[in-house]
Amino acid sequence: QVQLVESGGGLVQAGGSLRLSCAASGRTFSNYYMGWFRQAPGKEREFVAGITWNGGSTYYADSVKGRFTISRDKSKNTVHLQMNSLKPEDTAVYYCAAGARTYYGISVAAGYDYWGQGTQVTVSS
């Protein structure tokens, strides 16, 4: 059974940093890509960042480029999202996801097969 478990969320002031982690288990993730999405109250879930498990290629939403960094630790089956220079508009529940349906593109939620439960990130002004 595949499990994705997020951790690292919390409350931080604007300009601060947080590091989210996603522990993946239950299968081999080679040929998969891993992504972080977020959903704020009253808004649709949106892509934040993605990384290919094998090659480590990274992709970012324009709104987080230069502030967020996604990485993976293959030895620990873990994906991280380092978030710097946080803004109040980054407040959301952040979800980790794993997918292999590459025809959707890494930024499309429909391309992901597995999702974590989410972790709350709140940025105060």
Side-chain angles (χ1 to χ4, degrees):
Q1 181 180 358
V2 174
Q3 278 194 314
L4 302 176
V5 180
E6 302 99 334
S7 62
L11 173 64
V12 65
Q13 288 189 332
S17 299
L18 282 174
R19 187 185 192 221
L20 304 184
S21 297
C22 173
S25 62
R27 68 159 298 132
T28 301
F29 289 95
S30 56
N31 299 321
Y32 269 63
Y33 47 85
M34 308 295 289
W36 286 96
F37 288 74
R38 67 187 181 187
Q39 188 166 18
K43 295 188 177 182
E44 293 188 355
R45 189 170 298 190
E46 65 174 358
F47 172 77
V48 175
I51 187 167
T52 58
W53 190 259
N54 284 343
S57 297
T58 57
Y59 306 83
Y60 297 95
D62 288 342
S63 59
V64 307
K65 277 181 184 176
R67 300 189 297 123
F68 291 11
T69 302
I70 189 171
S71 62
R72 89 270 190 252
D73 184 336
K74 296 171 80 172
S75 66
K76 297 181 179 180
N77 258 23
T78 302
V79 179
H80 301 288
L81 184 68
Q82 178 66 43
M83 305 186 296
N84 298 329
S85 302
L86 283 161
K87 304 175 181 180
E89 51 263 43
D90 294 317
T91 295
V93 177
Y94 283 70
Y95 297 91
C96 174
R101 289 176 275 178
T102 56
Y103 47 84
Y104 278 106
I106 200 168
S107 65
V108 179
Y112 290 80
D113 300 297
Y114 306 106
W115 293 83
Q117 293 297 310
T119 185
Q120 177 71 46
V121 171
T122 303
V123 184
S124 63
S125 56

